[in-house]
């Protein structure tokens, strides 16, 4: 994960939130999105330059008003777009899954883990 290629590609895009130990995540989903991008690259779905271009496009689209606090939201948006563009899934399938997670979150009692099985429309 700490390959020079990965570090160089990420540094070209935007400063990765990090401390002396490595990347810093404010929430578990951020670490999961980061790990998923690394995994999909390792599986050959995209190259680091392709990834850097996708993330850079999202950062550019966010504009100068973005203060960096949305970094992993932009990371996730780039990941969704590159996965769909590379044919691993469709944009419609990604929207359907996001909707299912939203329904599951709404159906989950406060303090309980959100599970996709809580979505009444998701087949079990």
């Amino acid at each position: 994960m700490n390959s020079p290629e990965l570090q160089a590609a990420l540094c070209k895009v935007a400063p990765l939130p990090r401390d002396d130990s490595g990347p810093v995540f404010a929430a578990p989903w951020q670490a999961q999105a980061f790990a998923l991008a690394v995994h999909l690259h390792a599986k050959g779905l995209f190259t680091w330059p392709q990834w850097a271009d996708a993330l850079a496009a999202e950062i550019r689209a966010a504009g100068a008003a973005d203060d960096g606090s949305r970094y992993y939201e932009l990371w996730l948006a780039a990941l969704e777009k590159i996965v769909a563009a590379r044919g691993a899934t469709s944009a419609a399938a990604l929207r359907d899954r996001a909707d299912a997670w939203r329904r599951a979150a709404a159906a989950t009692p406060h303090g309980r883990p959100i599970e996709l099985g809580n979505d009444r429309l998701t087949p079990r």
Side-chain angles (χ1 to χ4, degrees):
M1 184 164 95
N2 286 327
S3 75
E5 181 185 0
L6 169 60
Q7 294 300 321
L10 292 174
C11 288
K12 285 181 186 177
V13 176
L16 183 66
R18 61 182 305 120
D19 64 15
D20 291 339
S21 299
V24 175
F25 308 103
W29 72 265
Q30 296 173 346
Q32 292 166 341
F34 181 89
L36 186 55
V38 171
H39 176 76
L40 292 174
H41 165 262
K43 290 295 185 181
L45 188 62
F46 48 80
T47 66
W48 280 123
Q50 290 167 330
W51 169 248
D53 290 345
L55 183 54
E58 291 300 315
I59 292 169
R60 275 192 308 276
D66 182 49
D67 64 359
S69 63
R70 295 183 50 232
Y71 184 83
Y72 286 111
E73 291 174 37
L74 302 175
W75 181 284
L76 184 58
L79 187 57
E80 289 174 347
K81 287 179 182 170
I82 200 169
V83 165
R86 303 294 294 171
T89 191
S90 68
L94 288 169
R95 278 192 306 275
D96 289 347
R97 185 51 57 111
D99 290 343
W101 278 108
R102 278 190 279 282
R103 289 189 303 268
T108 300
H110 181 73
R112 301 290 310 219
I114 299 171
E115 298 175 359
L116 194 54
N118 292 341
D119 172 28
R120 59 184 170 72
L121 300 178
T122 298
R124 294 176 192 217

